[in-house]
Amino acid sequence: MSQTMPSAMPTEQLVNELQTFGARLVDPNAGADSRRGGAGPSDHKALTLDGMTVMVPVHTGTASASPYLVEKPDAEGRGRISRDGVDLGEVRFPRRPRFYDLQTEDGIPYSKIAVLHGADVLATTVLQSCVRYQSRSKTCQFCAIGESLAAGRTIERKTPAQLAAVAKAAVELDGVKHMVMTTGTPPGKDRGAAILVESAAAVKAAVDLPIQAQCEPPDDDAWFARLKAAGVDALGMHLEAVTPEVRARIMPGKAQVPLERYFTAFEAAVQVFGRGQVSTYILAGLGDSVEAILDMSARLVALGVYPFVVPFVPISGTPLENHPAPTAEFMHAILEPLAGMLVRSGLQATDIKAGCGKCGACSALSTYERRLVA
Ligand code: SF4
């Protein structure tokens, strides 16, 4: 059986539908462990189809009613996928990473320090607590950073030495190609940049692995040069929502950092990291209109910032767990013109050195770009 989807449906449409509907799994334990809780996207399972690995929601309410069904995979991790009972072809579950079997000398499993995302990305949340997560009135409503910590699936603070050891093992045993280092926001004015600097320096001293760091805009733009000097190759500063009303409702704490600060920070960071190496995550489906997201994206692209627009996924255990996911039509209305804008401007996922935009598994955006370029 080949991995090519025999479906007449264009690949970007299939990826878009899988990410908005989610999928039902005949065997929920198939493939590598799926993330529940944590910073950023969660409740997904990685699936490879047509040569691309995508994160597909499987533990959400929406997914339980999805028209997509994935059969129990064979011993090689290959399973059939169907839509409303019509067979579409084969998908593959990436195997469990070998580095998950290792542990530190003091007995901490490597999988509690960093995890595999997509096909070849090592992802870690250096600090698994956040100044904005102290009360439900301030927390970002989509975020589950405290859930995986409370469930004992991770540790609160990953030391530079732990991160270096896990990164080295993930490269050597599993062929990991780049690394995402995100962090909850600590109380200090650097907003996490300082711990990202020491973490990146330790990883780069141990192994040659491109790194994307992710944090809120720090108080001082000098942090961008420090991050770069420590070995950070690309930077993410995430808007999440773009209009003031949606920002205030969805992330009341983080919205206190004004949009204008994000823009001065983007400009300064592009000077340091280069066009296309600075990105921002935008969650579509939380109230921002198609036009608002495209207008913001045009402003970002003009600055050389890659807008990584992903469909919102309602994560269990968060205040938004019953909020609907966006429709495939809504995402298509954004992703098709956005991909055109990116390709015309020479800002493409394939040129990003590391991070979410390069991985692309949480959005169909790079699939749209790929079709345009082809
Ligand atoms: S896009 Fe980012 S959050 Fe999503 S799987 Fe890839 S590295 Fe992880």
Side-chain angles (χ1 to χ4, degrees):
M1 287 195 290
S2 88
Q3 271 186 253
T4 307
M5 304 299 292
S7 154
M9 190 187 290
T11 307
E12 67 276 12
Q13 191 182 333
L14 177 61
V15 173
N16 188 18
E17 285 207 358
L18 274 172
Q19 291 187 327
T20 47
F21 285 122
R24 290 173 290 132
L25 302 182
V26 169
D27 176 10
N29 297 319
D33 300 342
S34 52
R35 287 176 73 215
R36 284 178 184 255
S42 187
D43 290 21
H44 294 63
K45 201 63 123 169
L47 287 180
T48 303
L49 54 99
D50 203 10
M52 283 169 313
T53 300
V54 295
M55 299 301 270
V56 177
V58 294
H59 296 307
T60 61
T62 317
S64 62
S66 171
Y68 286 94
L69 180 73
V70 182
E71 299 293 341
K72 186 176 165 65
D74 63 16
E76 304 297 314
R78 293 174 304 203
R80 306 295 300 180
I81 186 169
S82 59
R83 188 188 195 284
D84 287 326
V86 178
D87 184 65
L88 296 176
E90 183 184 284
V91 291
R92 189 184 282 267
F93 291 86
R95 61 174 172 71
R96 187 177 192 274
R98 295 189 181 94
F99 79 85
Y100 281 13
D101 294 331
L102 302 181
Q103 57 179 28
T104 63
E105 278 174 10
D106 47 351
I108 300 169
Y110 277 17
S111 59
K112 291 192 179 188
I113 295 166
V115 291
L116 185 75
H117 274 203
D120 54 15
V121 187
L122 183 67
T124 186
T125 302
V126 179
L127 177 67
Q128 196 87 27
S129 60
C130 182
V131 70
R132 310 211 182 280
Y133 203 76
Q134 308 305 324
S135 79
R136 278 302 189 198
S137 65
K138 285 207 291 177
T139 185
C140 298
Q141 304 285 291
F142 50 79
C143 182
I145 193 170
E147 302 292 319
S148 47
L149 183 62
R153 287 189 295 272
T154 187
I155 56 173
E156 181 166 2
R157 177 75 165 91
K158 289 82 173 176
T159 67
Q162 288 170 342
L163 292 169
V166 176
K168 191 165 188 295
V171 169
E172 289 172 357
L173 300 177
D174 296 289
V176 154
K177 297 283 191 306
H178 54 122
M179 182 169 189
V180 172
M181 271 183 194
T182 193
T183 181
T185 303
K189 289 185 178 168
D190 65 274
R191 299 192 198 275
I195 56 173
L196 292 170
V197 163
E198 63 181 33
S199 305
V203 168
K204 274 285 162 78
V207 63
D208 184 16
L209 184 64
I211 298 172
Q212 184 206 30
Q214 304 179 345
C215 60
E216 291 188 33
D219 62 328
D220 184 348
D221 291 344
W223 281 109
F224 300 135
R226 291 176 197 138
L227 285 160
K228 172 97 174 161
V232 171
D233 298 280
L235 183 69
M237 292 184 287
H238 296 170
L239 287 171
E240 327 284 9
V242 302
T243 46
E245 178 275 318
V246 182
R247 295 187 79 226
R249 176 166 52 83
I250 298 296
M251 34 186 232
K254 199 166 150 177
Q256 287 164 9
V257 180
L259 278 177
E260 285 321 308
R261 172 59 193 134
Y262 275 85
F263 274 92
T264 57
F266 286 141
E267 221 168 323
V270 170
Q271 297 283 322
V272 173
F273 292 98
R275 282 185 87 247
Q277 304 305 332
V278 178
S279 60
T280 192
Y281 224 94
I282 295 175
L283 292 168
L286 292 173
D288 289 319
S289 65
V290 169
E291 295 70 30
I293 291 176
L294 288 174
D295 286 352
M296 178 60 82
S297 297
R299 199 175 159 192
L300 292 161
V301 168
L303 283 178
V305 175
Y306 183 91
F308 187 50
V309 179
V310 307
F312 161 71
V313 175
I315 306 300
S316 31
T318 68
L320 294 181
E321 65 180 354
N322 295 317
H323 190 291
T327 63
E329 292 74 24
F330 182 83
M331 291 308 300
H332 177 75
I334 297 170
L335 297 181
E336 188 169 59
L338 176 57
M341 200 190 295
L342 290 166
V343 171
R344 281 193 304 277
S345 310
L347 289 187
Q348 282 170 50
T350 45
D351 296 328
I352 303 175
K353 293 177 186 164
C356 288
K358 182 180 184 68
C359 163
C362 286
S363 170
L365 179 56
S366 60
T367 324
Y368 279 83
E369 288 171 32
R370 211 166 65 155
R371 180 169 60 90
L372 278 180
V373 172

